[in-house]
Amino acid sequence: DGGTGTDTLKFSSAGETLNLTNISSSLYSGIEKIDLTGSGNNTLIATAQGVNELSSETDSLFVIGNSGDIANVSTGWSFTNQASGYNIYSDNGATIYIDTDITLVT
């Protein structure tokens, strides 16, 4: 549980995938940022339910990454806007802000 404040789940290696499709708030909660940069390319698979579970207090998630990292937002997400270096998507009350350097799968 990340608790109060802004908490970041940071990747430290390469070739890792975080799949939020089956995540439970009983395992992880209170996380507001994911940093995919690690030591190489990493992947995030995001669903609205997963974002809501992971960031239970805000229902928003910021995803930081660089060229080569991938964010899959193909299930239910709708592009909302682009602002301050992030592509913004929403779905069922969840919002995800994806660094524009990250490759998007939509």
Side-chain angles (χ1 to χ4, degrees):
D1 182 2
T4 59
T6 302
D7 303 290
T8 304
L9 176 64
K10 183 171 176 52
F11 283 59
S12 60
S13 59
E16 300 293 326
T17 298
L18 177 59
N19 187 339
L20 298 182
T21 56
N22 295 316
I23 198 164
S24 168
S25 62
S26 65
L27 295 175
Y28 302 99
S29 64
I31 305 295
E32 292 80 24
K33 289 185 181 181
I34 294 177
D35 185 346
L36 296 176
T37 55
S39 62
N41 300 335
N42 293 298
T43 301
L44 171 70
I45 302 170
T47 63
Q49 180 180 353
V51 168
N52 287 336
E53 294 286 335
L54 189 66
S55 61
S56 53
E57 294 178 21
T58 63
D59 296 333
S60 296
L61 185 65
F62 285 81
V63 184
I64 303 161
N66 50 26
S67 178
D69 292 325
I70 297 170
N72 183 326
V73 290
S74 62
T75 306
W77 294 99
S78 297
F79 178 76
T80 304
N81 195 6
Q82 188 179 67
S84 302
Y86 290 94
N87 290 303
I88 305 167
Y89 288 81
S90 62
D91 182 23
N92 289 329
T95 305
I96 191 166
Y97 300 79
I98 302 172
D99 189 321
T100 56
D101 291 333
I102 297 173
T103 300
L104 292 169
V105 175
T106 56

